[in-house]
Amino acid sequence: MARTENTIKNMTYAWVNNILTTILSFISRTIFINVLGATYLGLNGLFTNILSVLSFTELGIGTAINFSLYKPVAENNQQKISLLMKLYKNAYRLIAIIITILGLAILPFLHYLAKDVGDVGNISLYYLIFLFNTVISYFVSYKSSLLNANQKNYIYTRFELFFKIITTIIQIIVLLLYKNFLIYLLVGAFVGIIEKIMLNIYLNKLYPCLKEKVNGKLEESELKVIKKNIKALIYHKFGDVAVHQTDNIVISSFINVTMTGLISNYTLIITSINSIVSQIFNSAVSSLGNLIATEKQEHQYEVFKSYNFLNFWIYGFCTISLATLLSPFISLMWGSDKVISGICVNLMCIDFYMVGQRSAVNNVKVAGGIFKEDKLLSIFQAIINLIVSIILVKIIGLPGVYIGTIVSGILATVVRPIIIYKKMFNISCIQYFKKYVQYFLSIVIAWTIMFILTKTVLPSISLSRFIIMVVLNLTIPNLLFLLFFYNTNEFNYLNNIFITFFNERRKKCQKNH
């Protein structure tokens, strides 16, 4: 039950963190748009994407060492943990230097990437602040991997939330008082430094091994495994960056920065929802790693099927809700002139579901240390995405960017489960694809019903009509999913876990009182 308790605890804290962060982001975004406008918003999104692309230099080192930490943490092997963390620290310091060099090398080309920016001030200075914020994170973030390996991500989540609240409040005050983008960025950078210092002190106190001098070296066989995983993860990192972090750069370069700003309103909401949802599943990765290290293959497979079912239910519900409510919400929140075409919104939602539905497979893959077998898949994804997106954006405009992303995603949706089922469970993946089709068809049915209701209830947008649609979205898709799947093994497995967990929590509360 310890794994389940840690997973649910991590999940709960992650939910609270992301919900509060999302609310703060909406408030901050509204004030930002009203004070500075969409062009500054576009720059904000563009620089974030550029630095995300540069994070490719991390090369998957963090993922590889995190995987290597699962077993020594489970066995409480302090010497091995200390040696791995020393390797991690040295690697991340080198990465920070490389990102600094590459980031500075991009400076002369910023005006090619930021099309039609107008009179917004010194964009090079803005970019340097973004670069600084990214670089300093590498000097501390590696230490939080011990929280992950110990299934205590909630500790970092609480820390992150506190400083997010402080940063947002101060930045809002600065925006209202000075109406200056530069001061806004400097405040964020300053609070970010304080956060890194405090986190460093806290983690050193929580894990004394982080500041102790380490004697000895990792065995050559262990280093060989880590190096092998890193080599494979280089491909994954490149593919992930090229598929998921280049859309804003393509839009800014081929359309304009202002459109990037409008799109960023949509991506803020989609990313916020994804952050809330993905934390549910990412919170379980360390527990999955522990499961794989200690349990039999048959039990691993049973857990995966239910994990994948929960993945479908939550991402399916969110996809339908986003497709139905996204544009009406933006119209109410920031004005009808901030709304983009329905085709683009639907394409964004399809991509959201496809990426989300793959997360169960991806997380099991990471927990199981399967990195080498599908490394070329990420490269093919990247190539397909960039080629299709650039060709189509010139022909049909904005929808072409998202079609490219979806087309490349289909490849991963088909290939990766085949690899995971063979390596992890040693069985055919036919059942996975049968379930995938069932899940997808149930979403299509629910989406169609909600689309018809939206046209009926929301012929024009008002707050009261929007609230009605929110209520319908909360009930109808979930009732349909319950009707379709209440009698399945996956549903019963999850239902028993939650009943057992809450019964035990109730008994503990009664015992304490």
Side-chain angles (χ1 to χ4, degrees):
M1 237 0 241
R3 274 194 298 264
T4 302
E5 286 191 15
N6 282 327
T7 298
I8 293 177
K9 196 171 186 180
N10 288 334
M11 186 189 305
T12 302
Y13 275 96
W15 263 25
V16 172
N17 174 45
N18 282 289
I19 289 169
L20 291 177
T21 300
T22 298
I23 293 170
L24 288 170
S25 296
F26 283 131
I27 296 170
S28 177
R29 173 66 59 104
T30 301
I31 294 170
F32 189 104
I33 291 172
N34 289 333
V35 172
L36 297 177
T39 302
Y40 282 102
L41 202 59
L43 282 176
N44 203 71
L46 173 63
F47 293 157
T48 300
N49 273 101
I50 291 173
L51 271 303
S52 295
V53 170
L54 289 183
S55 72
F56 164 69
T57 54
E58 193 265 347
L59 302 177
I61 290 172
T63 304
I65 298 181
N66 271 342
F67 170 71
S68 299
L69 279 168
Y70 288 137
K71 189 172 182 180
V73 165
E75 296 172 349
N76 196 28
N77 187 336
Q78 292 298 318
Q79 174 69 4
K80 186 70 62 63
I81 292 169
S82 296
L83 290 171
L84 285 166
M85 294 308 295
K86 180 182 177 182
L87 175 65
Y88 208 166
K89 177 179 72 173
N90 293 335
Y92 263 39
R93 286 181 175 176
L94 178 61
I95 289 165
I97 294 170
I98 293 171
I99 288 180
T100 301
I101 295 169
L102 292 176
L104 292 174
I106 288 174
L107 265 176
F109 306 99
L110 276 182
H111 65 285
Y112 293 110
L113 298 173
K115 188 176 179 182
D116 300 333
V117 294
D119 184 18
V120 295
N122 191 337
I123 63 171
S124 295
L125 181 57
Y126 303 152
Y127 169 75
L128 287 173
I129 296 171
F130 274 85
L131 178 61
F132 172 78
N133 290 339
T134 299
V135 169
I136 62 167
S137 67
Y138 283 94
F139 290 96
V140 180
S141 61
Y142 72 94
K143 294 185 178 183
S144 62
S145 62
L146 272 178
L147 295 174
N148 175 67
N150 281 284
Q151 305 172 57
K152 294 181 178 179
N153 311 67
Y154 62 88
I155 294 176
Y156 179 75
T157 300
R158 290 186 304 195
F159 209 94
E160 185 182 44
L161 177 60
F162 174 78
F163 279 97
K164 178 65 176 178
I165 292 171
I166 297 297
T167 303
T168 304
I169 290 172
I170 297 175
Q171 285 186 319
I172 287 173
I173 293 171
V174 163
L175 275 176
L176 293 173
L177 288 178
Y178 300 103
K179 299 177 174 59
N180 187 290
F181 188 50
L182 178 59
I183 300 175
Y184 171 88
L185 293 179
L186 288 172
V187 165
F190 177 75
V191 178
I193 293 171
I194 302 299
E195 178 185 358
K196 303 302 184 297
I197 293 171
M198 297 300 293
L199 179 61
N200 187 59
I201 293 170
Y202 179 81
L203 290 176
N204 283 343
K205 185 177 179 180
L206 186 64
Y207 299 112
C209 65
L210 290 172
K211 55 183 180 179
E212 293 173 357
K213 187 174 181 180
V214 185
N215 296 315
K217 293 182 179 181
L218 288 168
E219 295 179 10
E220 189 60 36
S221 59
E222 294 169 325
L223 278 173
K224 186 177 180 181
V225 171
I226 293 172
K227 289 176 181 177
K228 182 191 75 172
N229 287 338
I230 289 173
K231 287 177 182 177
L233 283 162
I234 290 174
Y235 293 88
H236 292 288
K237 191 71 176 179
F238 175 79
D240 180 68
V241 166
V243 172
H244 300 296
Q245 304 297 337
T246 55
D247 283 354
N248 274 355
I249 298 173
V250 172
I251 294 167
S252 176
S253 302
F254 289 92
I255 302 177
N256 56 55
V257 170
T258 302
M259 178 58 73
T260 306
L262 296 179
I263 294 298
S264 71
N265 292 328
Y266 284 82
T267 54
L268 168 68
I269 299 170
I270 292 173
T271 302
S272 298
I273 298 298
N274 189 52
S275 295
I276 294 169
V277 176
S278 65
Q279 285 291 353
I280 299 171
F281 301 101
N282 293 343
S283 297
V285 172
S286 52
S287 296
L288 287 170
N290 183 273
L291 175 80
I292 291 166
T294 58
E295 300 288 351
K296 292 182 179 180
Q297 198 174 60
E298 291 78 10
H299 183 51
Q300 294 172 25
Y301 180 55
E302 291 303 314
V303 171
F304 167 75
K305 287 194 296 182
S306 298
Y307 184 61
N308 188 55
F309 172 70
L310 182 65
N311 192 92
F312 138 73
W313 189 306
I314 295 176
Y315 271 103
F317 162 70
C318 290
T319 298
I320 294 166
S321 298
L322 284 169
T324 308
L325 301 172
L326 196 48
S327 286
F329 177 82
I330 285 175
S331 181
L332 285 171
M333 193 81 177
W334 298 308
S336 58
D337 59 324
K338 303 296 188 296
V339 173
I340 63 173
S341 73
I343 292 175
C344 290
V345 175
N346 288 331
L347 289 171
M348 283 179 166
C349 292
I350 292 169
D351 180 57
F352 170 83
Y353 175 73
M354 290 177 63
V355 172
Q357 185 56 30
R358 290 197 299 270
S359 65
V361 169
N362 290 340
N363 287 348
V364 169
K365 182 180 82 73
V366 170
I370 299 174
F371 307 122
K372 180 181 178 182
E373 288 77 5
D374 62 340
K375 63 182 183 181
L376 292 178
L377 174 63
S378 298
I379 299 297
F380 285 127
Q381 271 191 272
I383 293 170
I384 292 170
N385 176 61
L386 289 174
I387 291 176
V388 175
S389 293
I390 291 173
I391 290 173
L392 290 184
V393 76
K394 292 180 178 180
I395 299 172
I396 60 175
L398 188 59
V401 178
Y402 301 109
I403 291 173
T405 306
I406 291 169
V407 170
S408 67
I410 291 171
L411 185 65
T413 298
V414 173
V415 174
R416 194 158 281 145
I418 297 173
I419 296 170
I420 299 308
Y421 267 65
K422 181 179 178 181
K423 295 293 295 184
M424 288 285 298
F425 310 125
N426 197 30
I427 57 176
S428 168
C429 62
I430 295 298
Q431 288 302 316
Y432 173 86
F433 287 113
K434 285 183 179 179
K435 287 290 185 182
Y436 190 96
V437 172
Q438 289 176 19
Y439 297 158
F440 185 76
L441 288 176
S442 69
I443 289 171
V444 170
I445 292 169
W447 192 339
T448 302
I449 291 171
M450 291 310 303
F451 177 79
I452 294 169
L453 285 172
T454 301
K455 292 297 182 182
T456 304
V457 177
L458 278 178
S460 60
I461 298 169
S462 66
L463 182 59
S464 59
R465 291 174 182 270
F466 182 79
I467 292 172
I468 292 171
M469 280 307 304
V470 170
V471 174
L472 291 174
N473 268 281
L474 286 171
T475 53
I476 293 174
N478 288 310
L479 286 174
L480 287 171
F481 292 164
L482 183 63
L483 177 65
F484 294 150
F485 300 107
Y486 79 95
N487 206 27
T488 61
N489 292 332
E490 292 84 358
F491 180 85
N492 291 325
Y493 183 92
L494 289 173
N495 193 41
N496 289 335
I497 285 178
F498 285 118
I499 290 172
T500 303
F501 174 78
F502 286 114
N503 282 340
E504 291 199 4
R505 298 296 294 178
R506 181 172 53 81
K507 289 177 183 177
K508 284 182 181 179
C509 291
Q510 290 174 347
K511 187 177 179 180
N512 292 334
H513 288 84

